[in-house]
Amino acid sequence: MNKRLVLIAVLLLVLALIGAYFFYFRSDVVSHEFKGKILSADNSSITAQGNFVSPEDLSILEPDLKTITASVSNQTRITKLIIYLPSSEELEKTKGVFYISDLKKERKEVDLNTFLTDVENFGNMAISIKSNKNINNQSEFKALEIEYIPPPIR
């Protein structure tokens, strides 16, 4: 009888610890993407300032920016989003009005050296960093995919 009570007590304790873990340590908000501006970059990491993006949580609208460091490797896919501005002739026709959604865009996969050269030449570009894990509110994580936007081309 005493062994049975001890076993039940141990099982209840284990269940309580598991419940506490999920309640206190597990984030309810899942985010696999960070969007912001590049602060610095080198051969192994990118430091950026911005917000975590989550379909369930609209906290991207919060004004407090977070600074993160994402590690990069040869397996990290890097995409450059090139946006083309209208020519002078096109702007003349439309009296200077154009919609960003209508601009010609080109996505181009680049290597880490091209990315680092662009960071050196253009500075604080917009960046989107994706991970296959939940990165919500983590200051360091491994980047799976990176997309950045250099200044538009005319």
Side-chain angles (χ1 to χ4, degrees):
M1 181 76 172
N2 282 341
K3 288 183 182 181
R4 204 173 200 184
L5 286 175
V6 170
L7 182 62
I8 290 172
V10 168
L11 284 173
L12 288 174
L13 181 63
V14 168
L15 288 174
L17 289 174
I18 290 171
Y21 169 79
F22 281 107
F23 185 76
Y24 289 109
F25 300 112
R26 194 149 161 96
S27 174
D28 289 340
V29 178
V30 175
S31 175
H32 295 278
E33 184 175 10
F34 181 89
K35 288 188 176 188
K37 296 269 185 198
I38 300 170
L39 298 178
S40 65
D42 60 36
N43 287 327
S44 62
S45 67
I46 299 167
T47 303
Q49 188 174 50
N51 289 100
F52 295 93
V53 179
S54 173
E56 302 94 33
D57 184 21
L58 299 179
S59 64
I60 191 168
L61 303 175
E62 290 181 7
D64 63 329
L65 301 176
K66 293 154 180 75
T67 301
I68 59 95
T69 301
S71 61
V72 293
S73 68
N74 292 337
Q75 286 77 36
T76 305
R77 196 170 108 216
I78 304 173
T79 306
K80 180 179 188 175
L81 177 60
I82 303 166
I83 300 173
Y84 296 91
L85 290 176
S87 66
S88 299
E89 295 82 30
E90 291 174 71
L91 286 172
E92 224 174 87
K93 289 178 192 174
T94 62
K95 297 182 181 170
V97 176
F98 65 91
Y99 297 98
I100 294 174
S101 59
D102 295 337
L103 294 178
K104 178 183 170 193
K105 297 174 184 88
E106 177 186 347
R107 281 185 166 76
K108 181 179 176 183
E109 199 161 317
V110 298
D111 62 11
L112 183 58
N113 289 331
T114 302
F115 169 72
L116 292 173
T117 300
D118 284 346
V119 170
E120 188 177 309
N121 291 335
F122 303 121
N124 298 348
M125 297 176 287
I127 191 167
S128 169
I129 305 171
K130 293 182 180 178
S131 177
N132 56 352
K133 296 181 180 176
N134 183 8
I135 58 171
N136 190 50
N137 287 325
Q138 292 186 18
S139 60
E140 295 183 7
F141 56 88
K142 185 177 178 182
L144 180 66
E145 293 178 30
I146 295 170
E147 183 175 84
Y148 70 99
I149 307 171
I153 298 174
R154 188 157 276 191

